[in-house]
Amino acid sequence: MNARKPQPLPGVTLSEDDGVRYLHLDTPWIQGGMRIRAPQVVEIDYIQRMLAALLWLPSEALADGAAVQLGLGAGALTRFTAQQLKMDTTVVELNPQVIAANQRHFHLPREALVVKGDAADWLAQAAAGSVRLLFVDLYDHEAAAPVLDDAGFYAACHRVLQEGGVMAVNLFGRDASFHESIDRIAGVFGSEHTWSLRPTRQGNSVAVAGRGVVLPPREELLLRAAQLEQRFGRLKLLARQWPRMIRPFQPPS
């Protein structure tokens, strides 16, 4: 991975609208959100799409293995894997103000291991094949492009995934930026193990990639989606919509 010059960390600000508390990094860009009276509800559209990675895992074994989130945001993924799936959960976050805001305002689960540090450094020391479900949501305060987005970074993600493990990456940004990023992911994981989901209205494009996984047949995909929605529908998990959002990776022409 390319060495990066340390940048000053932005401050954290909060806003509230229509019962939802949002986290910002010194800009109007939303870095995450939580419904105040129902903190387990999955409120943000792109988080829903990141959770679509669950479709690549057998329904009867969702809680197996370890989940890791690189980038805490407002903690929605951490709350879900630690408290809903009951998975061993680790979250890596560089900005101590984001961690503090989650502890005070976003119900950061006590069950989760919180690591204050750089995601690239954490990947470098993590045991190979130790992660089953990896979420990558690494954006600076301007939310223009991922902070870590080179082939070396995605190779490190691939290394820590166990066989059958799955990664979801938030690739919010311009179309050109998305295609460059998913090309890098496919170059590491393989074209046949890389997919994307239809972008949100806000422009978030989520890529899913796995280590030795394939997309289940449509009947199994629909069954898994129905089971997820039946189990977590109270959290606004609209899993039945996910299968029709999935797109296979298309190599550049």
Side-chain angles (χ1 to χ4, degrees), residues 221-253:
L221 202 63
L222 294 174
L223 176 61
R224 291 181 184 183
Q227 291 171 335
L228 283 167
E229 191 161 322
Q230 182 178 21
R231 184 176 173 185
F232 301 114
R234 71 190 186 284
L235 308 181
K236 292 188 178 179
L237 212 63
L238 305 177
R240 285 186 173 92
Q241 298 180 9
W242 296 343
R244 63 175 178 267
M245 297 181 183
I246 298 171
R247 300 171 174 176
F249 173 73
Q250 298 292 332
S253 54

mmCIF file of all heavy atoms in Angstrom, residues 221-253:
data_model
loop_
_atom_site.group_PDB
_atom_site.id
_atom_site.type_symbol
_atom_site.label_atom_id
_atom_site.label_comp_id
_atom_site.label_asym_id
_atom_site.label_seq_id
_atom_site.Cartn_x
_atom_site.Cartn_y
_atom_site.Cartn_z
ATOM 1 N N LEU A 221 -30.813 -17.360 -3.582
ATOM 2 C CA LEU A 221 -30.647 -15.940 -3.286
ATOM 3 C C LEU A 221 -31.950 -15.347 -2.751
ATOM 4 O O LEU A 221 -31.965 -14.632 -1.741
ATOM 5 C CB LEU A 221 -30.210 -15.209 -4.554
ATOM 6 C CG LEU A 221 -29.501 -13.864 -4.420
ATOM 7 C CD1 LEU A 221 -28.179 -14.019 -3.684
ATOM 8 C CD2 LEU A 221 -29.270 -13.269 -5.809
ATOM 9 N N LEU A 222 -33.047 -15.660 -3.418
ATOM 10 C CA LEU A 222 -34.351 -15.148 -2.993
ATOM 11 C C LEU A 222 -34.750 -15.720 -1.639
ATOM 12 O O LEU A 222 -35.351 -15.020 -0.808
ATOM 13 C CB LEU A 222 -35.411 -15.478 -4.042
ATOM 14 C CG LEU A 222 -35.243 -14.779 -5.397
ATOM 15 C CD1 LEU A 222 -36.277 -15.297 -6.399
ATOM 16 C CD2 LEU A 222 -35.358 -13.274 -5.251
ATOM 17 N N LEU A 223 -34.437 -16.981 -1.397
ATOM 18 C CA LEU A 223 -34.754 -17.596 -0.113
ATOM 19 C C LEU A 223 -33.965 -16.925 1.005
ATOM 20 O O LEU A 223 -34.511 -16.604 2.069
ATOM 21 C CB LEU A 223 -34.446 -19.090 -0.160
ATOM 22 C CG LEU A 223 -34.640 -19.855 1.157
ATOM 23 C CD1 LEU A 223 -36.087 -19.780 1.616
ATOM 24 C CD2 LEU A 223 -34.191 -21.313 1.002
ATOM 25 N N ARG A 224 -32.677 -16.705 0.786
ATOM 26 C CA ARG A 224 -31.862 -16.043 1.809
ATOM 27 C C ARG A 224 -32.376 -14.633 2.077
ATOM 28 O O ARG A 224 -32.427 -14.189 3.229
ATOM 29 C CB ARG A 224 -30.399 -15.994 1.370
ATOM 30 C CG ARG A 224 -29.716 -17.351 1.347
ATOM 31 C CD ARG A 224 -28.252 -17.226 0.933
ATOM 32 N NE ARG A 224 -27.616 -18.526 0.825
ATOM 33 C CZ ARG A 224 -26.335 -18.726 0.542
ATOM 34 N NH1 ARG A 224 -25.546 -17.678 0.324
ATOM 35 N NH2 ARG A 224 -25.833 -19.941 0.466
ATOM 36 N N ALA A 225 -32.750 -13.916 1.016
ATOM 37 C CA ALA A 225 -33.271 -12.558 1.185
ATOM 38 C C ALA A 225 -34.556 -12.568 2.000
ATOM 39 O O ALA A 225 -34.751 -11.736 2.905
ATOM 40 C CB ALA A 225 -33.504 -11.919 -0.179
ATOM 41 N N ALA A 226 -35.438 -13.509 1.706
ATOM 42 C CA ALA A 226 -36.700 -13.605 2.439
ATOM 43 C C ALA A 226 -36.451 -13.931 3.912
ATOM 44 O O ALA A 226 -37.106 -13.378 4.810
ATOM 45 C CB ALA A 226 -37.597 -14.665 1.800
ATOM 46 N N GLN A 227 -35.502 -14.813 4.169
ATOM 47 C CA GLN A 227 -35.185 -15.165 5.557
ATOM 48 C C GLN A 227 -34.595 -13.985 6.314
ATOM 49 O O GLN A 227 -34.918 -13.755 7.485
ATOM 50 C CB GLN A 227 -34.228 -16.361 5.576
ATOM 51 C CG GLN A 227 -34.878 -17.659 5.114
ATOM 52 C CD GLN A 227 -33.875 -18.790 4.930
ATOM 53 O OE1 GLN A 227 -32.688 -18.561 4.685
ATOM 54 N NE2 GLN A 227 -34.355 -20.021 5.066
ATOM 55 N N LEU A 228 -33.730 -13.214 5.651
ATOM 56 C CA LEU A 228 -33.163 -12.030 6.289
ATOM 57 C C LEU A 228 -34.236 -10.999 6.607
ATOM 58 O O LEU A 228 -34.250 -10.414 7.698
ATOM 59 C CB LEU A 228 -32.089 -11.414 5.379
ATOM 60 C CG LEU A 228 -30.741 -12.102 5.350
ATOM 61 C CD1 LEU A 228 -29.899 -11.580 4.192
ATOM 62 C CD2 LEU A 228 -29.996 -11.889 6.676
ATOM 63 N N GLU A 229 -35.143 -10.779 5.662
ATOM 64 C CA GLU A 229 -36.184 -9.782 5.893
ATOM 65 C C GLU A 229 -37.157 -10.241 6.967
ATOM 66 O O GLU A 229 -37.628 -9.430 7.777
ATOM 67 C CB GLU A 229 -36.913 -9.465 4.593
ATOM 68 C CG GLU A 229 -37.817 -8.259 4.739
ATOM 69 C CD GLU A 229 -38.189 -7.637 3.410
ATOM 70 O OE1 GLU A 229 -37.343 -7.587 2.497
ATOM 71 O OE2 GLU A 229 -39.345 -7.195 3.292
ATOM 72 N N GLN A 230 -37.454 -11.535 6.998
ATOM 73 C CA GLN A 230 -38.328 -12.047 8.041
ATOM 74 C C GLN A 230 -37.690 -11.869 9.420
ATOM 75 O O GLN A 230 -38.345 -11.518 10.395
ATOM 76 C CB GLN A 230 -38.629 -13.520 7.795
ATOM 77 C CG GLN A 230 -39.591 -14.132 8.824
ATOM 78 C CD GLN A 230 -39.896 -15.578 8.511
ATOM 79 O OE1 GLN A 230 -39.149 -16.252 7.810
ATOM 80 N NE2 GLN A 230 -41.010 -16.061 9.027
ATOM 81 N N ARG A 231 -36.382 -12.070 9.482
ATOM 82 C CA ARG A 231 -35.670 -11.988 10.756
ATOM 83 C C ARG A 231 -35.420 -10.552 11.188
ATOM 84 O O ARG A 231 -35.512 -10.228 12.376
ATOM 85 C CB ARG A 231 -34.346 -12.737 10.641
ATOM 86 C CG ARG A 231 -33.536 -12.805 11.931
ATOM 87 C CD ARG A 231 -32.295 -13.666 11.726
ATOM 88 N NE ARG A 231 -31.419 -13.620 12.887
ATOM 89 C CZ ARG A 231 -30.216 -14.198 12.947
ATOM 90 N NH1 ARG A 231 -29.764 -14.883 11.896
ATOM 91 N NH2 ARG A 231 -29.483 -14.092 14.033
ATOM 92 N N PHE A 232 -35.113 -9.678 10.227
ATOM 93 C CA PHE A 232 -34.680 -8.325 10.572
ATOM 94 C C PHE A 232 -35.557 -7.233 9.964
ATOM 95 O O PHE A 232 -35.159 -6.066 9.949
ATOM 96 C CB PHE A 232 -33.233 -8.109 10.121
ATOM 97 C CG PHE A 232 -32.252 -9.069 10.732
ATOM 98 C CD1 PHE A 232 -31.590 -10.002 9.945
ATOM 99 C CD2 PHE A 232 -31.999 -9.047 12.095
ATOM 100 C CE1 PHE A 232 -30.675 -10.880 10.496
ATOM 101 C CE2 PHE A 232 -31.091 -9.928 12.663
ATOM 102 C CZ PHE A 232 -30.427 -10.851 11.865
ATOM 103 N N GLY A 233 -36.713 -7.592 9.470
ATOM 104 C CA GLY A 233 -37.578 -6.596 8.839
ATOM 105 C C GLY A 233 -37.969 -5.471 9.771
ATOM 106 O O GLY A 233 -38.189 -4.336 9.334
ATOM 107 N N ARG A 234 -38.034 -5.764 11.071
ATOM 108 C CA ARG A 234 -38.375 -4.708 12.035
ATOM 109 C C ARG A 234 -37.319 -3.612 12.074
ATOM 110 O O ARG A 234 -37.562 -2.510 12.586
ATOM 111 C CB ARG A 234 -38.543 -5.326 13.424
ATOM 112 C CG ARG A 234 -37.245 -5.778 14.049
ATOM 113 C CD ARG A 234 -37.457 -6.605 15.305
ATOM 114 N NE ARG A 234 -36.198 -6.914 15.972
ATOM 115 C CZ ARG A 234 -35.339 -7.831 15.554
ATOM 116 N NH1 ARG A 234 -35.590 -8.535 14.442
ATOM 117 N NH2 ARG A 234 -34.227 -8.053 16.227
ATOM 118 N N LEU A 235 -36.148 -3.911 11.538
ATOM 119 C CA LEU A 235 -35.058 -2.937 11.486
ATOM 120 C C LEU A 235 -35.004 -2.227 10.134
ATOM 121 O O LEU A 235 -34.004 -1.596 9.809
ATOM 122 C CB LEU A 235 -33.719 -3.631 11.755
ATOM 123 C CG LEU A 235 -33.645 -4.488 13.014
ATOM 124 C CD1 LEU A 235 -32.269 -5.094 13.167
ATOM 125 C CD2 LEU A 235 -34.019 -3.679 14.246
ATOM 126 N N LYS A 236 -36.077 -2.330 9.378
ATOM 127 C CA LYS A 236 -36.178 -1.744 8.034
ATOM 128 C C LYS A 236 -35.210 -2.390 7.045
ATOM 129 O O LYS A 236 -34.813 -1.768 6.058
ATOM 130 C CB LYS A 236 -35.955 -0.228 8.051
ATOM 131 C CG LYS A 236 -37.045 0.566 8.741
ATOM 132 C CD LYS A 236 -36.827 2.055 8.534
ATOM 133 C CE LYS A 236 -37.922 2.876 9.181
ATOM 134 N NZ LYS A 236 -37.690 4.336 8.995
ATOM 135 N N LEU A 237 -34.822 -3.623 7.311
ATOM 136 C CA LEU A 237 -33.928 -4.321 6.402
ATOM 137 C C LEU A 237 -34.748 -4.831 5.221
ATOM 138 O O LEU A 237 -35.490 -5.801 5.342
ATOM 139 C CB LEU A 237 -33.243 -5.479 7.133
ATOM 140 C CG LEU A 237 -31.829 -5.818 6.679
ATOM 141 C CD1 LEU A 237 -30.902 -4.641 6.948
ATOM 142 C CD2 LEU A 237 -31.319 -7.055 7.390
ATOM 143 N N LEU A 238 -34.622 -4.180 4.080
ATOM 144 C CA LEU A 238 -35.429 -4.487 2.902
ATOM 145 C C LEU A 238 -34.694 -5.493 2.017
ATOM 146 O O LEU A 238 -34.402 -5.245 0.854
ATOM 147 C CB LEU A 238 -35.740 -3.200 2.139
ATOM 148 C CG LEU A 238 -36.416 -2.109 2.981
ATOM 149 C CD1 LEU A 238 -36.622 -0.850 2.160
ATOM 150 C CD2 LEU A 238 -37.748 -2.608 3.549
ATOM 151 N N ALA A 239 -34.417 -6.659 2.593
ATOM 152 C CA ALA A 239 -33.547 -7.621 1.930
ATOM 153 C C ALA A 239 -34.137 -8.190 0.650
ATOM 154 O O ALA A 239 -33.390 -8.576 -0.259
ATOM 155 C CB ALA A 239 -33.211 -8.762 2.904
ATOM 156 N N ARG A 240 -35.446 -8.260 0.541
ATOM 157 C CA ARG A 240 -36.042 -8.810 -0.682
ATOM 158 C C ARG A 240 -35.743 -7.951 -1.904
ATOM 159 O O ARG A 240 -35.849 -8.413 -3.032
ATOM 160 C CB ARG A 240 -37.562 -8.967 -0.505
ATOM 161 C CG ARG A 240 -37.981 -10.149 0.368
ATOM 162 C CD ARG A 240 -39.493 -10.308 0.360
ATOM 163 N NE ARG A 240 -39.931 -11.513 1.041
ATOM 164 C CZ ARG A 240 -40.254 -11.591 2.329
ATOM 165 N NH1 ARG A 240 -40.163 -10.496 3.074
ATOM 166 N NH2 ARG A 240 -40.662 -12.715 2.871
ATOM 167 N N GLN A 241 -35.370 -6.695 -1.683
ATOM 168 C CA GLN A 241 -35.019 -5.816 -2.802
ATOM 169 C C GLN A 241 -33.589 -6.039 -3.292
ATOM 170 O O GLN A 241 -33.250 -5.648 -4.412
ATOM 171 C CB GLN A 241 -35.189 -4.349 -2.392
ATOM 172 C CG GLN A 241 -36.614 -3.965 -2.016
ATOM 173 C CD GLN A 241 -36.726 -2.517 -1.612
ATOM 174 O OE1 GLN A 241 -35.776 -1.735 -1.763
ATOM 175 N NE2 GLN A 241 -37.878 -2.128 -1.084
ATOM 176 N N TRP A 242 -32.754 -6.631 -2.464
ATOM 177 C CA TRP A 242 -31.336 -6.715 -2.790
ATOM 178 C C TRP A 242 -31.017 -7.565 -4.015
ATOM 179 O O TRP A 242 -30.173 -7.159 -4.836
ATOM 180 C CB TRP A 242 -30.546 -7.239 -1.593
ATOM 181 C CG TRP A 242 -30.574 -6.352 -0.391
ATOM 182 C CD1 TRP A 242 -30.940 -5.023 -0.350
ATOM 183 C CD2 TRP A 242 -30.245 -6.715 0.951
ATOM 184 N NE1 TRP A 242 -30.860 -4.557 0.941
ATOM 185 C CE2 TRP A 242 -30.428 -5.556 1.754
ATOM 186 C CE3 TRP A 242 -29.806 -7.893 1.547
ATOM 187 C CZ2 TRP A 242 -30.181 -5.580 3.125
ATOM 188 C CZ3 TRP A 242 -29.558 -7.911 2.904
ATOM 189 C CH2 TRP A 242 -29.743 -6.759 3.680
ATOM 190 N N PRO A 243 -31.626 -8.747 -4.191
ATOM 191 C CA PRO A 243 -31.196 -9.577 -5.324
ATOM 192 C C PRO A 243 -31.283 -8.871 -6.675
ATOM 193 O O PRO A 243 -30.398 -9.049 -7.529
ATOM 194 C CB PRO A 243 -32.141 -10.787 -5.253
ATOM 195 C CG PRO A 243 -32.453 -10.912 -3.792
ATOM 196 C CD PRO A 243 -32.569 -9.492 -3.311
ATOM 197 N N ARG A 244 -32.302 -8.059 -6.883
ATOM 198 C CA ARG A 244 -32.415 -7.397 -8.190
ATOM 199 C C ARG A 244 -31.479 -6.208 -8.333
ATOM 200 O O ARG A 244 -31.375 -5.626 -9.415
ATOM 201 C CB ARG A 244 -33.864 -6.978 -8.465
ATOM 202 C CG ARG A 244 -34.463 -5.973 -7.521
ATOM 203 C CD ARG A 244 -35.866 -5.583 -8.015
ATOM 204 N NE ARG A 244 -36.536 -4.644 -7.141
ATOM 205 C CZ ARG A 244 -37.365 -4.979 -6.158
ATOM 206 N NH1 ARG A 244 -37.609 -6.266 -5.925
ATOM 207 N NH2 ARG A 244 -37.953 -4.060 -5.409
ATOM 208 N N MET A 245 -30.785 -5.838 -7.259
ATOM 209 C CA MET A 245 -29.802 -4.761 -7.335
ATOM 210 C C MET A 245 -28.409 -5.260 -7.723
ATOM 211 O O MET A 245 -27.544 -4.449 -8.056
ATOM 212 C CB MET A 245 -29.697 -4.044 -5.970
ATOM 213 C CG MET A 245 -30.941 -3.352 -5.505
ATOM 214 S SD MET A 245 -30.607 -2.537 -3.909
ATOM 215 C CE MET A 245 -32.237 -1.885 -3.529
ATOM 216 N N ILE A 246 -28.190 -6.568 -7.642
ATOM 217 C CA ILE A 246 -26.845 -7.115 -7.827
ATOM 218 C C ILE A 246 -26.458 -7.105 -9.288
ATOM 219 O O ILE A 246 -27.216 -7.548 -10.160
ATOM 220 C CB ILE A 246 -26.772 -8.538 -7.248
ATOM 221 C CG1 ILE A 246 -27.049 -8.510 -5.734
ATOM 222 C CG2 ILE A 246 -25.397 -9.165 -7.519
ATOM 223 C CD1 ILE A 246 -27.217 -9.882 -5.133
ATOM 224 N N ARG A 247 -25.246 -6.641 -9.554
ATOM 225 C CA ARG A 247 -24.715 -6.605 -10.915
ATOM 226 C C ARG A 247 -23.368 -7.304 -10.946
ATOM 227 O O ARG A 247 -22.494 -7.008 -10.117
ATOM 228 C CB ARG A 247 -24.519 -5.147 -11.368
ATOM 229 C CG ARG A 247 -25.802 -4.320 -11.366
ATOM 230 C CD ARG A 247 -25.491 -2.851 -11.604
ATOM 231 N NE ARG A 247 -26.697 -2.056 -11.739
ATOM 232 C CZ ARG A 247 -26.711 -0.734 -11.882
ATOM 233 N NH1 ARG A 247 -25.571 -0.066 -11.869
ATOM 234 N NH2 ARG A 247 -27.860 -0.088 -12.012
ATOM 235 N N PRO A 248 -23.162 -8.232 -11.876
ATOM 236 C CA PRO A 248 -21.831 -8.852 -11.995
ATOM 237 C C PRO A 248 -20.817 -7.818 -12.461
ATOM 238 O O PRO A 248 -21.160 -6.833 -13.123
ATOM 239 C CB PRO A 248 -22.050 -9.953 -13.021
ATOM 240 C CG PRO A 248 -23.230 -9.496 -13.818
ATOM 241 C CD PRO A 248 -24.110 -8.741 -12.887
ATOM 242 N N PHE A 249 -19.572 -8.055 -12.111
ATOM 243 C CA PHE A 249 -18.514 -7.150 -12.553
ATOM 244 C C PHE A 249 -18.362 -7.214 -14.067
ATOM 245 O O PHE A 249 -18.342 -8.286 -14.675
ATOM 246 C CB PHE A 249 -17.189 -7.534 -11.899
ATOM 247 C CG PHE A 249 -16.014 -6.758 -12.430
ATOM 248 C CD1 PHE A 249 -15.835 -5.428 -12.112
ATOM 249 C CD2 PHE A 249 -15.105 -7.365 -13.294
ATOM 250 C CE1 PHE A 249 -14.773 -4.704 -12.602
ATOM 251 C CE2 PHE A 249 -14.029 -6.638 -13.795
ATOM 252 C CZ PHE A 249 -13.860 -5.309 -13.453
ATOM 253 N N GLN A 250 -18.272 -6.037 -14.681
ATOM 254 C CA GLN A 250 -18.064 -5.926 -16.114
ATOM 255 C C GLN A 250 -16.669 -5.372 -16.381
ATOM 256 O O GLN A 250 -16.412 -4.205 -16.060
ATOM 257 C CB GLN A 250 -19.118 -5.029 -16.754
ATOM 258 C CG GLN A 250 -20.547 -5.528 -16.631
ATOM 259 C CD GLN A 250 -20.772 -6.787 -17.455
ATOM 260 O OE1 GLN A 250 -20.105 -7.018 -18.467
ATOM 261 N NE2 GLN A 250 -21.724 -7.602 -17.028
ATOM 262 N N PRO A 251 -15.761 -6.177 -16.928
ATOM 263 C CA PRO A 251 -14.409 -5.644 -17.199
ATOM 264 C C PRO A 251 -14.471 -4.463 -18.149
ATOM 265 O O PRO A 251 -15.367 -4.381 -19.015
ATOM 266 C CB PRO A 251 -13.691 -6.844 -17.850
ATOM 267 C CG PRO A 251 -14.490 -8.036 -17.460
ATOM 268 C CD PRO A 251 -15.909 -7.565 -17.334
ATOM 269 N N PRO A 252 -13.554 -3.511 -18.020
ATOM 270 C CA PRO A 252 -13.550 -2.365 -18.938
ATOM 271 C C PRO A 252 -13.337 -2.816 -20.365
ATOM 272 O O PRO A 252 -12.541 -3.728 -20.642
ATOM 273 C CB PRO A 252 -12.397 -1.513 -18.434
ATOM 274 C CG PRO A 252 -11.544 -2.429 -17.610
ATOM 275 C CD PRO A 252 -12.456 -3.465 -17.048
ATOM 276 N N SER A 253 -14.077 -2.219 -21.270
ATOM 277 C CA SER A 253 -13.971 -2.617 -22.687
ATOM 278 C C SER A 253 -12.780 -1.939 -23.350
ATOM 279 O O SER A 253 -12.274 -0.937 -22.880
ATOM 280 C CB SER A 253 -15.254 -2.241 -23.420
ATOM 281 O OG SER A 253 -15.561 -0.867 -23.245
#
